[in-house]
Amino acid sequence: QMIAAQSHTFVGSYASTYRGYIARLRGYYSVQEQWEGYDEGRLDRTHYVEQGHGNEYRIYKSVQKPFFAREFPISWMDIDEDTGIA
C-alpha cells in the first residue's frame, strides 16, 4: 500500500477498503508534496475503475454515506493545524 500510494497515478476499485487506505495515504502525500489540487482536497491522479466513479477524487466532497466506499478530504486537509481547543 505504501508503494502504491506514492505512484504517479493510482486506479482502484470503488468498494475496496484496501484502495481506500491507499487513497488516504495519497491525500497525506498530496498535502506534504503540494500536488496539483491539494489545497482544494482533490486527488487528480487517483481514479476508480468502475464506470461513473472514475474521476470521483477530482472534486471535493464532504463526508456522506456510504462511508466505506471512499475517503474524504477532511481525513487529510489541515490535520496539522491548531484548532484552538484546549
Side-chain angles (χ1 to χ4, degrees):
Q1 287 172 312
M2 298 297 285
I3 293 170
Q6 293 183 38
S7 64
H8 181 270
T9 303
F10 179 76
V11 179
S13 179
Y14 183 71
S16 168
T17 55
Y18 181 83
R19 183 265 331 131
Y21 184 60
I22 292 170
R24 183 176 294 207
L25 289 173
R26 289 178 66 77
Y28 297 148
Y29 291 130
S30 75
V31 172
Q32 182 180 36
E33 299 172 11
Q34 298 185 348
W35 292 355
E36 184 176 345
Y38 85 96
D39 55 335
E40 298 173 10
R42 296 187 347 242
L43 296 175
D44 290 345
R45 298 184 319 252
T46 303
H47 309 280
Y48 290 129
V49 174
E50 290 80 6
Q51 193 77 8
H53 294 288
N55 292 318
E56 189 89 8
Y57 283 106
R58 296 194 80 185
I59 55 172
Y60 179 92
K61 282 193 175 182
S62 58
V63 178
Q64 54 190 292
K65 292 181 180 179
F67 304 121
F68 71 90
R70 66 163 284 162
E71 292 294 315
F72 297 93
I74 196 168
S75 301
W76 62 80
M77 290 185 70
D78 299 325
I79 61 172
D80 294 327
E81 300 296 319
D82 186 7
T83 61
I85 300 173

